[in-house]
C-alpha cells in the first residue's frame, strides 16, 4: 500500500483516489490502484502488463494537467462494482497548445482480500467507438 495515499475502503472512493493519485503526477502512486487490472487503451487493445499499463497512464500524466472526474453511477454486487465516470483533462499542455480529452468511462473495481478497492477494468472511453486493432 502507498505511504502517501490510502486505498479506498468503499467503491465510491475509487474515483476520488484516482484523481488524487493522477494529480500527484506520480505514476507509481496511481499504479497502486491497478493491481492485476486490465486497462482498455484508446485504440481498443486490452493492456494487462503492469509496465504497459504504467506507460499508458504516464502518457496522460506527462501532460501536466489535472484530471477532473466524477462518478455518475456506482453499482455494487458483492466484491465487484461498476463505476460510470465522467472525466476530463483540460488546459495548456507542455508545448503551450490547448489540450482537451474527456469521456465517460465504464470501469469495474474489485474489493481485495484486504478490504481495499482497486481497478479490475479501466475502460476510460466506455462505449465510444475505437479504431480497429
Amino acid at each position: 500500500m502507498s505511504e502517501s495515499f490510502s486505498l479506498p475502503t468503499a467503491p465510491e472512493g475509487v474515483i476520488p483516489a484516482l484523481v488524487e493519485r493522477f494529480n500527484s503526477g506520480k505514476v507509481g502512486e496511481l499504479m497502486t490502484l491497478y493491481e492485476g487490472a486490465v486497462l482498455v487503451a484508446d485504440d481498443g487493445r486490452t493492456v494487462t502488463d503492469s509496465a504497459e499499463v504504467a506507460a499508458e497512464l504516464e502518457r496522460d500524466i506527462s501532460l501536466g494537467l489535472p484530471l477532473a472526474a466524477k462518478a455518475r453511477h456506482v453499482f455494487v454486487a458483492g466484491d465487484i462494482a461498476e463505476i460510470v465516470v465522467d472525466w476530463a483533462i483540460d488546459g495548456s499542455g507542455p508545448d503551450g497548445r490547448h489540450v482537451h480529452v474527456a469521456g465517460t468511462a465504464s470501469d469495474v473495481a474489485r474489493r481485495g482480500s484486504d478490504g481495499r478497492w482497486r481497478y479490475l477494468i479501466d475502460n476510460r472511453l466506455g462505449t465510444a467507438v475505437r479504431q480497429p486493432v
Side-chain angles (χ1 to χ4, degrees), residues 8 19 28 31 38 50 58 60 62 66 79 90 104 110 128:
V19 170
M31 286 301 294
V38 171
S50 62
E58 180 63 39
D60 290 335
S62 70
D79 292 337
D90 191 62
T104 299
R110 168 180 54 200

Side-chain angles (χ1 to χ4, degrees), residues 1 7-11 14 78-79 110-118:
M1 186 183 320
L7 288 166
T9 57
V14 171
D79 292 337
R110 168 180 54 200
R111 180 176 29 221
S113 60
D114 62 359
R116 309 294 181 166
W117 290 82
R118 296 172 184 86

Side-chain angles (χ1 to χ4, degrees), residues 72-107:
R72 186 189 307 179
H73 301 290
V74 178
F75 303 104
V76 182
D79 292 337
I80 302 292
E82 179 189 24
I83 307 170
V84 179
V85 182
D86 297 312
W87 64 272
I89 299 171
D90 191 62
S92 294
D95 61 2
R97 292 184 182 182
H98 184 256
V99 174
H100 179 78
V101 288
T104 299
S106 176
D107 297 337

Side-chain angles (χ1 to χ4, degrees), residues 43-67:
D43 63 6
R45 290 176 301 113
T46 55
V47 180
T48 57
D49 177 76
S50 62
E52 289 181 57
V53 170
E56 290 285 328
L57 297 171
E58 180 63 39
R59 183 194 67 231
D60 290 335
I61 288 175
S62 70
L63 293 171
L65 299 171
L67 169 67

